[in-house]
Amino acid sequence: MEQRPGGDPVIQTVAPGLHVLSNGAIDSPWPKALHLGQSFKKYLETNDDSEVSLKQMVEELMMDTIKTDKSLVPDTGVDPEWEYKLGSIFIDTAKGQARYGTRSMVVLAVKLDGGVTFFKRYLENSSWKENIIQFQMEKAQHDLRGTLE
């Protein structure tokens, strides 16, 4: 479920597979979201079938400061130069006398056996902190017609 400021919640079914969620809708074709998806696929190929550390994944993928090519910057209604500054996965830039940028990064991993790990790195009082939540989901049973029992 997604809640937009001033809007109604959006509930959508998400197919199994790799998905990137940014400030836009899930799987938005924003250049930095596409870049993150490609980097994640390469990361998985490099790590083959081995168990990967979500913390390491965040450090290697979510801290990426490579900016989108200026010609590919999306038109979201803000100044194109400001949009360019926001064009990397990890954002840390000056805005007047203050800093503007990424304040949290999240990885949600769901295993085939229903094991779920939620890893969050977030900025609190100028320090990066981490939180991990793990739980087990029960699998839904399907009958032959594909409906939930």
Side-chain angles (χ1 to χ4, degrees), residues 49-67:
D49 289 332
S50 61
E51 185 89 10
V52 296
S53 160
L54 298 184
K55 180 177 180 174
Q56 178 184 348
M57 188 185 306
V58 165
E59 290 170 356
E60 290 186 31
L61 301 177
M62 304 294 286
M63 304 296 288
D64 186 339
T65 58
I66 296 172
K67 295 200 179 344

Side-chain angles (χ1 to χ4, degrees), residues 5 13 18 20 29 32 36 44 53-54 73-74 78 81 113 121 127:
T13 301
L18 167 69
V20 175
K32 68 181 181 180
L36 179 58
L44 292 177
S53 160
L54 298 184
V73 170
V78 301
E81 187 58 35
D113 69 0
R121 176 176 281 173
S127 295

Side-chain angles (χ1 to χ4, degrees), residues 30-96:
W30 288 2
K32 68 181 181 180
L34 295 172
H35 174 68
L36 179 58
Q38 292 165 352
S39 295
F40 183 62
K41 285 178 187 174
K42 286 180 191 172
Y43 183 87
L44 292 177
E45 290 168 2
T46 301
N47 288 287
D48 203 18
D49 289 332
S50 61
E51 185 89 10
V52 296
S53 160
L54 298 184
K55 180 177 180 174
Q56 178 184 348
M57 188 185 306
V58 165
E59 290 170 356
E60 290 186 31
L61 301 177
M62 304 294 286
M63 304 296 288
D64 186 339
T65 58
I66 296 172
K67 295 200 179 344
T68 299
D69 183 279
K70 283 191 176 189
S71 67
L72 300 175
V73 170
D75 180 7
T76 62
V78 301
D79 176 63
E81 187 58 35
W82 181 244
E83 192 68 59
Y84 174 73
K85 290 180 180 182
L86 304 179
S88 60
I89 294 166
F90 186 85
I91 301 167
D92 183 15
T93 189
K95 187 173 185 181

